[in-house]
């Protein structure tokens, strides 16, 4: 950290902590007592504040609501057995935050402001970090265009927020997934690599259709021919094929996931061959048929390591082995948890202690 951010703190006099049922958390519904807010005005970030979590008032002409100059990040904090709290790799999210900002003609945020804003609100609400297994504190930084102006033009003012809230497991079961061959999440030259709000709105219809057909997630494919695999729902997708960890290489249609990078780093530490390259739907289905596909999972902050049980393509379903018997994803999940909850040495310096 270069210098400490000057943050004005107004504490709530009505904490909701005691009324919160930490055993029945639905992802994204519970927020802690406070949030971080800042304004971008006259070409600079100012008014750094932590205030009680609550409603905000905006003009109906707010530019972000009309033209989608809006994006977010997602990361997590964990409680260690000794009570300490760490945030996982916030520096990586800070870099990606600014990639999204640039793609959307929005102002960047100095990385130290991003990290310090998160640390400050997590520190204040540290009692909200769950202590139980598979639970964590989800952190949602986001920025939106705030000019009350419906001209199609980049806004001159912006708002930055950090919301935090306790979460349990995102997926409760092994996933039945469908290779999407009609809808497209991102095309070359588009904004798939940015965490822009519009990417998620645009993906919802495919998700809904897939759910109506009994699937839990879609595997996104390339926009041109739907022949190459890109991502899985709101996560990156990874496979073990013939003993090699394979995942689509990042490009402008793919979000450069922090979990993806973490899994690749662990695999390399263990001496496992890793290939980041174009991954064809055909080779994955072939591997599922001939038994060489021994692992398939989604990798993401919310999703963590989410095992895929079957992959369907044009009406045909290919079943994979029981996730409990899979060597690689089980080891990754165990190792990741051990590092994040402070039960294993953090040799890569991934835990940012708050
Ligand atoms: N891809 C998409 C579209 C996502 O929304 C996410 C979730 O953040 C990821 C991949 C995984 O990224 P990360 O591991 O940084 O959470
Ligand atoms: C995340 O993993 O942080 C995500 O963004 C996924 C989803 C909740 C949008």
């Amino acid at each position: 950290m270069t210098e400490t951010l000057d943050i004005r703190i107004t504490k709530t006099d009505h904490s909701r902590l005691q009324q919160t049922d930490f055993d029945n958390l639905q992802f994204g519904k519970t927020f802690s007592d406070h949030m971080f807010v800042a304004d971008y005005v006259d070409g600079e970030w100012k008014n750094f504040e932590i205030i009680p979590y609550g409603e905000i008032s905006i003009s109906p002409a707010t530019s972000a609501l009309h033209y989608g100059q809006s994006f977010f990040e997602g990361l997590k904090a964990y409680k260690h057995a000794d009570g300490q709290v760490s945030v996982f790799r916030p520096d990586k999210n800070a870099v990606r935050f600014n990639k999204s900002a640039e793609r959307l003609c929005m102002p960047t945020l100095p990385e130290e402001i991003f990290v310090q804003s998160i640390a400050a609100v997590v520190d204040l609400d540290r009692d909200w970090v769950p202590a139980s297994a598979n639970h964590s504190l989800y952190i949602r930084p986001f920025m939106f265009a705030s000019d009350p102006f419906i001209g199609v033009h980049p806004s001159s003012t912006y708002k930055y927020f950090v919301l935090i809230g306790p979460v349990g497991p995102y997926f409760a079961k092994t996933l039945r997934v469908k290779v999407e061959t009609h809808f497209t999440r991102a095309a070359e030259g588009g904004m798939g690599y940015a965490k822009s709000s519009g990417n998620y709105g645009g993906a919802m219809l495919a998700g809904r259709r897939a759910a109506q057909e009994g699937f839990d997630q879609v595997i996104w494919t390339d926009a041109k021919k739907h022949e190459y695999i890109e991502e899985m729902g709101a996560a990156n997708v990874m496979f073990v094929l013939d003993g090699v960890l394979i995942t689509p290489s990042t490009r402008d249609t793919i979000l450069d996931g922090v979990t993806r990078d973490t899994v690749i780093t662990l695999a390399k530490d263990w001496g496992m061959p890793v290939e980041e390259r174009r991954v064809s739907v055909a080779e994955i289905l072939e591997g599922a048929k001939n038994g060489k596909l021994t692992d398939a999972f989604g990798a993401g902050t919310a999703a963590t390591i989410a095992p895929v049980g079957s992959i369907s393509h044009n009406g045909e379903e290919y079943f994979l082995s029981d996730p409990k018997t899979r060597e690689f994803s089980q080891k990754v999940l165990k190792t990741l948890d051990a590092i994040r909850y402070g039960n294993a040495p953090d040799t890569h310096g991934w835990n940012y202690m708050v």
Side-chain angles (χ1 to χ4, degrees), residues 96 185 195 200 231 233-236 255 257-259 299-301:
R96 193 170 66 191
R185 190 190 85 93
K195 229 165 145 58
Y200 296 80
E231 301 202 53
N236 293 110
L255 194 83
V258 178
T259 318
T301 297

Side-chain angles (χ1 to χ4, degrees), residues 27 72-75 138 140 170 195 200 234 300-303:
F27 181 89
F72 64 94
E73 266 304 325
L75 60 165
Y138 187 74
R140 171 53 62 88
Y170 192 71
K195 229 165 145 58
Y200 296 80
T301 297

Side-chain angles (χ1 to χ4, degrees), residues 238-241 293-297 320 326-330:
M238 309 185 96
F239 305 94
V240 177
L241 186 65
L293 183 69
T294 54
D295 218 328
F297 55 93
L320 309 182
R326 297 184 197 168
E327 209 181 310
F328 183 72
S329 51
Q330 290 286 320

Side-chain angles (χ1 to χ4, degrees), residues 24-41:
N24 292 292
L25 296 165
Q26 199 181 331
F27 181 89
K29 282 219 162 154
T30 308
F31 299 99
S32 75
D33 284 329
H34 300 93
M35 60 187 182
F36 182 95
V37 295
D39 297 310
Y40 185 83
V41 189

